[in-house]
Amino acid sequence: MSVPDAQIYPYATGPAAVTAATHQDPQDLVFWTGWFCPASQRVWIALEERGIPYQYKEVNPYKKEEAFLRINPKGLTPTVEYKGKPLVESLVLLEFLEDAYPSHTPRLLPADPYERARVRLWLDHVSKQVLPAFFKTVQAQDKGKQEEELRAYYTALRKLADEVKGPYFLGQEFSLVDVAIAPFVVRDYIIEEHRGYKREEVGSGWKEYAEALEKRDSVTRTCSDKEHYEPIYGRYLRDESQSETAKATRAGRAVI
């Protein structure tokens, strides 16, 4: 996700800044990230959840380091540099961490083959149904269109909510489905304030699920102060953003 805007605060703040400060030593895995990017937060949550050693590298949206651009010429986050080799795309990175660090627990993909497949199916639902509806709701300008997109967002969330065993998607076990949706749950106050969204309207225990996610330690540790998110989403709310996510939303593509 790329967000070149003069109002964006360039560095993590709050709990995220504290977490970042503890991961400055060189490691086999270098995590190139933007604090504002929900896709990056997914990977960060997984790293923290599983206790994987990593070096945190904040990508300044105004002046991207040459070292970063060499491994990712598009300059998009998240990017992982593993033993000098780059990898991108948040959902790919989440599965990579499962494979590259099998001894670090908890695992976020279940051991049972059926449940693993089920997790992947619902990750697909998040990418192809939930997130496009989220960003369409944010970017819609006409009042009628906003209400239409919000209804579609509720529908996508209800399908997911009906599968949640509670308190997390698989029950007590925290999984990649939870990781994938959590950054958008902690940002849903944006559409609550500007588009009339209410967690209660989803039903099927969604409000309780959302509250469990935003209270998860790995989620809270990777969140910056809320005041710095608002300027970023202002550009989406006005449908002015030229980020890859905004372009994908306009084109009707999946958001990963």
Side-chain angles (χ1 to χ4, degrees), residues 78-113:
T79 296
V80 158
E81 189 177 359
Y82 179 68
K83 297 182 179 179
K85 296 176 288 187
L87 288 169
V88 296
E89 301 293 352
S90 63
L91 296 184
V92 172
L93 292 174
L94 292 178
E95 293 224 25
F96 165 75
L97 295 177
E98 291 289 303
D99 294 335
Y101 295 90
S103 64
H104 286 258
T105 56
R107 299 296 296 272
L108 299 177
L109 270 175
D112 179 76

Side-chain angles (χ1 to χ4, degrees), residues 73-239:
K74 290 184 177 180
L76 302 179
T77 58
T79 296
V80 158
E81 189 177 359
Y82 179 68
K83 297 182 179 179
K85 296 176 288 187
L87 288 169
V88 296
E89 301 293 352
S90 63
L91 296 184
V92 172
L93 292 174
L94 292 178
E95 293 224 25
F96 165 75
L97 295 177
E98 291 289 303
D99 294 335
Y101 295 90
S103 64
H104 286 258
T105 56
R107 299 296 296 272
L108 299 177
L109 270 175
D112 179 76
Y114 176 82
E115 289 300 320
R116 288 171 76 90
R118 184 166 167 267
V119 163
R120 290 186 172 113
L121 285 171
W122 285 99
L123 285 172
D124 189 65
H125 175 76
V126 170
S127 288
K128 294 181 179 178
Q129 303 296 325
V130 175
L131 300 192
F134 174 88
F135 281 103
K136 285 180 181 178
T137 300
V138 175
Q139 291 175 226
Q141 298 303 293
D142 175 78
K143 181 68 174 176
K145 189 65 173 175
Q146 291 172 3
E147 293 173 352
E148 176 187 339
E149 299 297 356
L150 181 58
R151 287 194 296 271
Y153 186 51
Y154 282 143
T155 297
L157 289 182
R158 285 185 191 115
K159 289 179 181 178
L160 178 59
D162 286 343
E163 298 294 319
V164 174
K165 296 179 180 179
Y168 304 114
F169 180 74
L170 294 176
Q172 295 296 322
E173 183 181 352
F174 196 70
S175 75
L176 291 187
V177 176
D178 307 307
V179 172
I181 195 66
F184 298 91
V185 167
V186 299
R187 289 162 173 78
D188 68 13
Y189 71 95
I190 298 291
I191 54 173
E192 179 180 3
E193 293 176 4
H194 297 280
R195 298 292 186 260
Y197 166 81
K198 295 185 185 302
R199 288 177 178 176
E200 296 86 349
E201 291 297 316
V202 179
S204 299
W206 180 261
K207 180 175 182 290
E208 293 74 17
Y209 174 58
E211 289 174 351
L213 290 181
E214 66 184 355
K215 292 176 183 175
R216 184 83 176 183
D217 194 37
S218 58
V219 176
T220 60
R221 288 203 307 269
T222 55
C223 283
S224 283
D225 295 329
K226 275 189 174 182
E227 65 192 79
H228 296 301
Y229 289 105
E230 188 73 25
I232 299 165
Y233 286 94
R235 301 188 74 232
Y236 286 84
L237 291 164
R238 298 187 299 273
D239 199 21

Side-chain angles (χ1 to χ4, degrees), residues 40-51:
S40 290
Q41 191 181 7
R42 287 171 164 177
V43 178
W44 203 1
I45 289 168
L47 289 168
E48 284 294 306
E49 189 72 34
R50 300 189 59 222

